[in-house]
Amino acid sequence: MAKSQKQKKTKPKSAGLMTEVAVEKLAFSMGRAADIDEVLRAAGLSRQKLSVLLADDEISQAMETRLDSVLNAPWRFAEDHGEQTLFLKELLTKWHFEIVSGAWEALPYGYSVMEAVFAFDLQSRITLSEIVVKPLEWFEPKNDGQLIFRKPQSSLEIDVFKTYPLKFFLTRRKPTFKQPYGDPLLSKLYWLWFFKTNSTKFWVKFLERFGSPLLVGKVGGDGRNQDDIDAMTTALLNAHAQSVISIDSEDDVNTVGTNFSGAGSSAFEAFDRVMTKRIQKVVLGQTMTSENDGGGSKALGVVHNEVRMDKRNSDLRMITPTVQEIIDSICLLNNFEKHTVILGGEQDLNVDVVNRDLKLKDLGVEFNQQYVMETYGIKAEHFKMNEGGVSVNTQFKALPQRAFSFAASTKKLSPEQQEVEELTDEQRSFELLDQKQVNELIQSSESPEDLALNLMQLMPSASQSQFTANLERALYAADVLGYVSASGGK
């Protein structure tokens, strides 16, 4: 008899299902983690030293252009809680530049840390008193979301979010587990800035050396000595700055021109132009910011504008969590309702929907406030519904969409007259019932409904306009006959 197979009732166990195991605990326990940015390591720079790149005119202009697009982006709150929302709107309007620009500094440096100072207002509500960007070298973001603060010249580590909740706000650009400091955009520009700056220095020295002719002085006379030669040398050096020199009649000064043909100038301009375009591509994603590169078109401009909007939306997505954390802190401290801030959340106008609604409006359709808010994303306080009814447009609309009529142009007809002529020409002639048929129709009908039904049976193939004309004539005749009969009865 075979042995019975007993099923195991115990479940397999695995340690660490709820925790992260693959962590370099040794590296983090020994102090500040190393910055693994390859450009910074090769250049031997720290992140805070990247600020020297912003002294370059082209990099500074490109960065300001990108920051301005973020600062000018519209913002709004998704909810409306009356006085609470109004208070938050006033607060965010007042501190909008400091909050947005401070969080945006994570773009050039990889991460930024802001510290908020709160205070009570006149109505005993907690509001912002100050919010500033702190030096990033004081802080170290961890790959688990922690933020470590190290006081200058001290090895003491402070977990900021646990020790000072609702006070520090961290923004990072594209952080990874391997690189918790974020991805600094300025590091991509370092070598471009390095070669561009040094080529400019070389070009200035080149112009100083070969841009002006050389002065050659000859000291004449049989009794010349070294002092006379030194005096001539000093006079030539001063002549470069003053362009004036006085010499003896026996002395002579000549100029030796350089064989400078301008090839070096064109080479420098071409190199500087290439560096400038590469900087613009890295920061702005395109080069049509201040010039069109010798040509362009509307389609190309539209594409470049779409790229610019993509960059702006990317920056807005980066700073939105930080702005939301600040709003959440204010709401928590004041016991407010939840408020969701939307940056750059404008709703594009759908042209097809607008044209459809305009046609429905011309037909007499009235839209309510709820439809306008849901379809076009407009708040109730930003528009007012017209309660006076739909205004009837008495002007012709079909004509501007019609083809050109040569006959109308030769007859010098106005657009309105041309449309009237075309409408009347398209009307077909139709016959009316004679008086005998009208009388028979009235005698066989007891009500207006019967009159319309009998007329439909009498004229089954009549058009709508023909049926309407005969029905109106029969009703008018019936009214007259009724008045006459009533008068005769009296």
Side-chain angles (χ1 to χ4, degrees):
M1 193 171 173
K3 296 182 179 179
S4 60
Q5 300 291 334
K6 294 184 179 180
Q7 221 175 9
K8 294 184 178 180
K9 297 182 179 180
T10 59
K11 296 182 179 180
K13 296 182 180 181
S14 177
L17 288 177
M18 303 301 176
T19 59
E20 193 171 5
V21 178
V23 179
E24 289 186 71
K25 295 183 179 180
L26 178 61
F28 289 102
S29 62
M30 296 176 61
R32 187 180 182 92
D35 197 337
I36 64 172
D37 189 276
E38 296 295 337
V39 176
L40 296 179
R41 293 176 61 182
L45 296 176
S46 57
R47 288 189 178 236
Q48 62 269 21
K49 296 297 182 180
L50 290 173
S51 59
V52 70
L53 274 67
L54 296 178
D56 182 82
D57 57 342
E58 191 63 41
I59 296 178
S60 176
Q61 184 269 340
M63 285 292 185
E64 287 185 1
T65 300
R66 189 155 173 175
L67 174 60
D68 291 340
S69 64
V70 176
L71 291 173
N72 293 325
W75 58 270
R76 59 185 176 88
F77 286 105
E79 300 86 2
D80 188 0
H81 297 292
E83 293 294 334
Q84 297 181 5
T85 306
L86 182 61
F87 170 75
L88 293 177
K89 285 182 179 179
E90 295 177 353
L91 184 142
L92 187 54
T93 302
K94 179 180 179 181
W95 297 98
H96 179 264
F97 176 81
E98 289 78 4
I99 294 175
V100 173
S101 61
W104 182 86
E105 285 197 9
L107 176 73
Y109 301 109
Y111 71 96
S112 68
V113 180
M114 292 187 295
E115 181 181 0
V117 180
F118 300 95
F120 289 94
D121 61 1
L122 298 178
Q123 300 180 8
S124 299
R125 295 176 301 191
I126 298 179
T127 182
L128 279 176
S129 169
E130 184 182 14
I131 183 166
V132 293
V133 180
K134 294 297 182 177
L136 57 90
E137 61 269 20
W138 293 357
F139 299 89
E140 178 191 356
K142 297 291 188 179
N143 51 19
D144 57 356
Q146 295 181 356
L147 181 63
I148 303 300
F149 169 64
R150 288 186 176 87
K151 295 182 179 181
Q153 300 178 355
S154 175
S155 60
L156 180 63
E157 296 185 356
I158 300 176
D159 191 343
V160 170
F161 294 146
K162 291 183 179 180
T163 309
Y164 306 104
L166 308 178
K167 187 171 181 62
F168 289 90
F169 303 95
L170 171 65
T171 308
R172 292 187 292 178
R173 177 180 182 262
K174 300 179 181 179
T176 61
F177 182 84
K178 192 176 180 180
Q179 179 57 289
Y181 297 116
D183 184 20
L185 183 61
L186 286 180
S187 67
K188 311 297 186 298
L189 300 173
Y190 176 76
W191 294 118
L192 299 177
W193 167 85
F194 179 83
F195 290 116
K196 181 175 180 290
T197 302
N198 286 277
S199 65
T200 304
K201 292 180 181 179
F202 174 79
W203 176 244
V204 172
K205 292 182 179 180
F206 178 82
L207 290 180
E208 183 180 358
R209 177 67 180 84
F210 299 102
S212 59
L214 300 178
L215 297 179
V216 179
K218 297 179 180 180
V219 181
D222 297 335
R224 65 181 182 273
N225 51 29
Q226 186 62 35
D227 293 338
D228 297 332
I229 297 175
D230 294 340
M232 175 62 76
T233 303
T234 303
L236 294 178
L237 291 175
N238 294 332
H240 274 284
Q242 301 177 1
S243 301
V244 176
I245 184 174
S246 60
I247 59 176
D248 190 78
S249 60
E250 296 180 355
D251 299 335
D252 188 18
V253 176
N254 296 320
T255 61
V256 178
T258 59
N259 295 325
F260 182 67
S261 60
S265 175
S266 60
F268 169 75
E269 291 177 357
F271 180 79
D272 186 73
R273 191 181 303 111
V274 170
M275 292 294 102
T276 300
K277 289 183 178 181
R278 293 183 65 179
I279 290 173
Q280 292 178 350
K281 287 181 180 179
V282 171
V283 181
L284 303 175
Q286 42 93 9
T287 60
M288 290 184 64
T289 54
S290 57
E291 55 186 19
N292 59 359
D293 298 334
S297 62
K298 181 180 179 181
L300 184 61
V302 171
V303 172
H304 285 190
N305 184 66
E306 292 178 354
V307 174
R308 183 183 66 87
M309 295 299 296
D310 291 339
K311 295 292 184 180
R312 189 204 71 163
N313 295 335
S314 176
D315 295 345
L316 290 175
R317 285 192 295 269
M318 178 187 67
I319 68 173
T320 296
T322 303
V323 180
Q324 185 63 54
E325 287 181 9
I326 297 175
I327 297 299
D328 292 342
S329 300
I330 299 294
C331 293
L332 181 61
L333 294 173
N334 290 281
N335 197 20
F336 285 175
E337 297 290 338
K338 172 67 175 179
H339 284 76
T340 304
V341 64
I342 301 176
L343 301 178
E346 68 273 11
Q347 184 171 345
D348 296 333
L349 201 61
N350 193 333
V351 180
D352 296 335
V353 176
V354 173
N355 293 332
R356 181 201 66 186
D357 292 345
L358 289 176
K359 293 179 181 179
L360 294 176
K361 181 176 179 297
D362 293 337
L363 295 176
V365 178
E366 296 184 6
F367 300 106
N368 56 19
Q369 183 176 352
Q370 186 67 23
Y371 174 81
V372 176
M373 293 173 59
E374 295 179 355
T375 304
Y376 299 103
I378 306 176
K379 290 187 177 182
E381 61 267 21
H382 294 163
F383 71 96
K384 181 180 180 181
M385 299 295 295
N386 185 13
E387 299 178 356
V390 181
S391 59
V392 180
N393 193 352
T394 58
Q395 295 182 353
F396 295 105
K397 291 185 176 181
L399 183 63
Q401 302 176 2
R402 300 179 69 88
F404 172 75
S405 176
F406 180 78
S409 62
T410 56
K411 295 179 182 178
K412 297 182 179 181
L413 297 178
S414 64
E416 291 79 7
Q417 291 174 338
Q418 180 185 348
E419 187 168 5
V420 171
E421 291 291 335
E422 293 178 359
L423 290 176
T424 54
D425 291 342
E426 292 177 358
Q427 295 292 334
R428 296 181 300 174
S429 58
F430 51 85
E431 296 181 359
L432 295 176
L433 298 177
D434 55 19
Q435 190 61 38
K436 181 179 179 182
Q437 292 176 323
V438 171
N439 293 336
E440 293 178 355
L441 182 62
I442 295 174
Q443 296 297 331
S444 61
S445 304
E446 297 181 356
S447 63
E449 290 77 9
D450 293 341
L451 182 64
L453 181 60
N454 295 331
L455 179 61
M456 187 180 301
Q457 296 176 356
L458 182 62
M459 306 176 64
S461 61
S463 62
Q464 182 178 0
S465 57
Q466 184 178 1
F467 178 82
T468 303
N470 284 279
L471 178 62
E472 292 177 351
R473 185 184 179 207
L475 290 174
Y476 179 77
D479 290 340
V480 173
L481 181 62
Y483 287 129
V484 172
S485 301
S487 301
K490 289 182 178 180

